[in-house]
Amino acid sequence: MVYYFKEYVHRLLLHLIRKHGIQGNFLEIGCGRGDNLLFLSRLQYTGLGIDLSPSAVAYARRLFEGHQCILVRQMDFFQAAGLYDF
């Protein structure tokens, strides 16, 4: 069930990106283990994923180790600073 939901979210995200011509940096709040970050990185997007869970952030950081375009941080939404396109 989770796999199908993830595919649905990725298809919907891709549809919105194409429909609205979205480009630039992204901020994903509640990135978890980085599934959406990985999807967006494959589309050549750069951005930041944040989450409160130390274990989820640790997993996502390992996933993107050495990847300079995707950052993952453990922080609260209110601590996130910067300008993001989506």
Side-chain angles (χ1 to χ4, degrees), residues 6-43:
K6 185 179 1 176
E7 276 192 0
Y8 170 76
V9 169
H10 291 170
R11 282 194 313 267
L12 181 59
L13 188 54
L14 185 59
H15 170 75
L16 291 172
I17 287 170
R18 289 178 175 164
K19 179 179 180 180
H20 297 287
I22 297 171
Q23 299 177 12
N25 293 327
F26 67 85
L27 170 64
E28 183 181 12
I29 301 165
C31 68
R33 297 169 47 115
D35 293 329
N36 296 330
L37 300 175
L38 185 59
F39 175 74
L40 290 169
S41 74
R42 290 179 178 154
L43 296 174

Side-chain angles (χ1 to χ4, degrees), residues 31-32 50-62 72-74:
C31 68
I50 63 173
D51 203 289
L52 293 174
S53 168
S55 60
V57 168
Y59 183 92
R61 279 186 176 157
R62 282 191 302 274
V72 182
R73 295 198 178 121
Q74 181 185 350

